[in-house]
Amino acid sequence: MDTRYDGEWVITALLEDRARRLTDRTGVRSLDGDLSYGELADRAARIASGLRELGVQPGDRVATMLESTIDYLAAWHGTIWAGAIDVPVNTELRGGFLAHILRDSGARVLIVQDRWIGRLAELELPELEHVIAVPDAASAARAATVGEATGQPPAASPAVGTRSAPGGETSAAGTRPLHRWSDLLGLDPGARVARTPEDLIYILYTSGTTGPSKGVCYTNRSASWLVQACRETLELRPGDVGYSMFPLFHTMGRSALVTASLWMGSPVVLRPRFSVSGFWRDIREQGVTWFGYFGAVILFLWREPEQADDAENPARLAFGASAPAELIEPWERRFGLRLHETYGSTELGTVACPKANAIKRPTMGRPVSHIEVEIHDERDEPVPPGALGEIVARPRRAGAIFAGYWNRPAETVEAWRNLWFHSGDAGTLDEDGCLTFRDRKKDSIRRRGENISSFEVERAVRSLELVVECAAYPVPSEHGDDEVMVAIVIEPDGTLDASAFCAELIPLMPRFAIPRYVRVLAELPKTPSQRVRKHELRAEGVTADTFDREALGVMPARD
């Protein structure tokens, strides 16, 4: 059967084509059951009908805060089926982190796992009109299975009340109506709203550096170009089976795996999280041929006891970033597949990724065909091959990268100065045109695949009464990425109870952003213009006077 897609570059048109031509073919395999392309389109169309009943119009924003399950796929595709703009929300967010994204995007509706609704109770969200609760009960078997594999107990699932009328009773969602997911799925499916390749479909929030997180605007066209980058560099085949173990609020899970598989007419195995002990068993049982990774995944799998049949698996390639350089070749020999180290960002998608016959270590290969890349110095002038500078990029094809920052024209213009998008990352281009990422110029932190805004960490830490000022910065982790560290200055007469201080931070920020290390200083090192010299703090690292939250036994619970 011909699975090629030659239609318009509109994601809902792609799904509609798959539902029409590949109706009964399995598109998604999950622990909640499989979905054919026809079933996925049907669910999306029903959710779209429900959103229309709530008054959602084309161009309105609908936030989705869900686990990576088939319900998420229905919410995501249902939102864009209705012509609305999806705002994926990191499920770890709470407090000011969560409020900022919902307020900044102007989301009218939030589709959320019911166990996280309580996070809305204290937030001022004047534009949020409706909350749709997705139950966890249907996921109990999945949670138990994953818990067995990961050693994590399944989360409790609080009951959700009956669907309330507008202006109904107060609940954890505030005075907003609380709607049942099953009510929307029970509606008749509606026709998709026609959209163009230039219409916005997602706003993906990335970590802020000198300010709050910014919404990165994706159109149908830019989302489709990200898929083309995967097809071009990974040389995907019609019979491939993808494996997504990353959140669908990240571009890797959303575009590089799920949407690329949809485009190929091939199945994707959807998992809510990464399981070290169950990974290779799952890969073999599902016949997986390709998957994504971040550096810690490679390290965790390497540290598992070596087995005689490690290389006896169907996977032929994996792509990602930050694999420990010294492990790449022995890891490939042990597990029998190639690792494609890539460079990309939320704004640009995949910028560089080598083909299987053109891997040149330690580079990320040549830039993809639709993106032009240069290395610039501090004066925005190109540097010679091999010289270190800032990675800058621009599209070779219309709409090939993001369409700007949501409601932030000045920051969009600044990022695009001199007609190049400035990544804030340092790198080199060699004489063959191969790109190597060297370091982050941006003041951000990357931990277990999450980009963490130092600005937002500092804002949360400063909200504690004892803190006069603070600085958040990365220090090396034993897992090959970053740990979050904060240096704080406290009130002159204050005394820090380190355990209590760390415990106070837990409800203020997502689990992955909570500082592991806390250091108390009399003053922060600063420039004459009063900017904190974070490079000095990073160079000093974890000192003898640093508190380690994990050593103190202050650990956030998984909810």
Side-chain angles (χ1 to χ4, degrees):
M1 182 181 292
D2 186 3
T3 61
R4 289 177 299 177
Y5 178 69
D6 298 318
E8 61 179 339
W9 282 18
V10 172
I11 301 303
T12 51
L14 168 65
L15 177 57
E16 190 174 56
D17 172 88
R18 281 10 197 153
R20 176 175 53 83
R21 296 200 297 121
L22 309 174
T23 309
D24 298 324
R25 174 170 289 199
T26 298
V28 183
R29 303 177 194 165
S30 83
L31 295 173
D32 287 328
D34 297 346
L35 278 184
S36 68
Y37 289 119
E39 291 169 331
L40 176 56
D42 178 75
R43 287 184 174 220
R46 292 173 188 273
I47 297 304
S49 293
L51 294 174
R52 291 190 192 107
E53 279 200 5
L54 299 181
V56 172
Q57 300 295 314
D60 285 346
R61 276 76 64 206
V62 175
T64 48
M65 186 174 175
L66 300 164
E67 292 181 299
S68 297
T69 65
I70 55 178
D71 285 336
Y72 198 144
L73 296 181
W76 154 19
H77 285 283
T79 295
I80 60 177
W81 195 273
I85 300 171
D86 182 25
V87 182
V89 178
N90 191 317
T91 57
E92 295 284 353
L93 298 190
R94 61 183 73 232
F97 287 72
L98 175 58
H100 166 68
I101 289 179
L102 296 178
R103 286 198 295 257
D104 187 73
S105 66
R108 293 184 58 196
V109 176
L110 172 63
I111 305 176
V112 59
Q113 222 78 46
D114 59 8
R115 68 179 180 273
W116 298 321
I117 291 174
R119 298 183 191 176
L120 303 175
E122 303 300 324
L123 304 183
E124 295 184 11
L125 304 168
E127 295 188 58
L128 186 64
E129 300 171 7
H130 300 276
V131 176
I132 299 170
V134 178
D136 298 309
S139 303
R142 180 192 71 254
T145 301
V146 173
E148 182 179 353
T150 62
Q152 298 162 345
S157 176
V160 177
T162 58
R163 175 174 171 171
S164 61
E169 62 185 88
T170 301
S171 69
T175 57
R176 304 172 190 87
L178 188 61
H179 307 274
R180 288 185 183 276
W181 180 246
S182 58
D183 289 345
L184 277 72
L185 285 176
L187 296 173
D188 292 332
R192 74 177 179 92
V193 172
R195 305 299 276 168
T196 71
E198 291 69 38
D199 284 324
L200 294 183
I201 55 169
Y202 317 140
I203 302 174
L204 303 177
Y205 278 79
T206 187
S207 59
T209 54
T210 58
S213 298
K214 299 184 290 291
V216 175
C217 295
Y218 263 75
T219 65
N220 276 300
R221 190 182 297 279
S222 55
S224 298
W225 271 116
L226 202 156
V227 170
Q228 308 318 311
C230 293
R231 295 179 63 208
E232 171 191 333
T233 59
L234 302 179
E235 299 172 294
L236 299 179
R237 307 166 186 169
D240 278 327
V241 177
Y243 190 86
S244 177
M245 54 186 172
F246 295 104
L248 296 180
F249 49 77
H250 283 174
T251 55
M252 179 178 283
R254 171 171 290 245
S255 296
L257 280 156
V258 174
T259 308
S261 296
L262 178 64
W263 200 289
M264 296 295 295
S266 301
V268 62
V269 179
L270 191 64
R271 295 293 183 254
R273 60 183 64 91
F274 169 58
S275 165
V276 179
S277 61
F279 179 77
W280 289 114
R281 180 179 68 248
D282 211 13
I283 294 296
R284 293 184 179 98
E285 291 176 354
Q286 297 296 328
V288 170
T289 60
W290 67 294
F291 60 89
Y293 67 82
F294 53 85
V297 167
I298 299 302
L299 191 59
F300 290 151
L301 292 174
W302 178 260
R303 288 173 175 173
E304 284 289 283
E306 190 166 356
Q307 304 295 326
D309 63 350
D310 276 342
E312 296 174 15
N313 65 78
R316 76 170 194 278
L317 67 90
F319 72 101
S322 304
E326 70 280 5
L327 283 186
I328 289 179
E329 291 188 4
W331 198 99
E332 289 178 328
R333 288 194 298 270
R334 174 178 167 184
F335 295 109
L337 66 149
R338 300 306 302 271
L339 297 181
H340 294 242
E341 279 282 289
T342 69
Y343 171 76
S345 69
T346 305
E347 291 91 341
L348 299 172
T350 299
V351 175
C353 176
K355 293 185 178 181
N357 63 354
I359 293 177
K360 181 182 180 182
R361 312 289 188 198
T363 78
M364 288 79 184
R366 293 187 179 92
V368 293
S369 60
H370 58 275
I371 295 179
E372 182 180 4
V373 175
E374 287 187 354
I375 306 297
H376 285 188
D377 62 20
E378 296 295 335
R379 296 171 296 174
D380 268 349
E381 294 289 345
V383 301
L388 185 67
E390 182 176 12
I391 300 171
V392 298
R394 61 188 178 190
R396 295 183 184 273
R397 302 290 298 274
I401 62 176
F402 83 121
Y405 295 116
W406 177 255
N407 283 342
R408 294 177 184 271
E411 293 183 47
T412 301
V413 170
E414 169 60 22
W416 275 98
R417 62 188 180 274
N418 297 323
L419 301 182
W420 289 90
F421 175 75
H422 288 63
S423 69
D425 292 331
T428 60
L429 279 173
D430 67 16
E431 65 282 355
D432 295 323
C434 292
L435 178 68
T436 302
F437 166 75
R438 297 294 187 185
D439 198 2
R440 284 181 299 276
K441 289 184 65 179
K442 291 182 176 180
D443 192 16
S444 62
I445 307 164
R446 187 167 179 83
R447 181 179 184 274
R448 305 289 177 86
E450 297 283 358
N451 289 315
I452 301 168
S453 165
S454 59
F455 174 89
E456 292 184 331
V457 171
E458 288 163 2
R459 181 167 60 181
V461 172
R462 281 197 304 268
S463 71
L464 301 183
E465 290 185 8
L466 193 65
V467 177
V468 175
E469 56 182 343
C470 68
Y473 50 97
V475 292
S477 164
E478 64 268 32
H479 303 304
D481 50 9
D482 297 333
E483 289 288 359
V484 184
M485 183 165 177
V486 291
I488 63 173
V489 177
I490 64 175
E491 296 285 356
D493 298 327
T495 302
L496 183 76
D497 180 329
S499 296
F501 178 83
C502 292
E504 284 187 85
L505 291 174
I506 290 176
L508 300 180
M509 61 183 74
R511 184 175 64 248
F512 61 77
I514 299 170
R516 174 176 173 179
Y517 298 111
V518 179
R519 184 183 180 195
V520 181
L521 296 176
E523 60 181 6
L524 299 178
K526 294 180 180 178
T527 66
S529 60
Q530 295 303 295
R531 292 182 179 273
V532 178
R533 296 181 183 271
K534 289 192 179 181
H535 66 280
E536 294 183 8
L537 295 172
R538 287 195 294 268
E540 292 175 1
V542 180
T543 56
D545 59 348
T546 298
F547 297 103
D548 181 347
R549 173 176 53 79
E550 293 186 5
L552 293 171
V554 183
M555 302 294 287
R558 180 182 292 274
D559 59 4

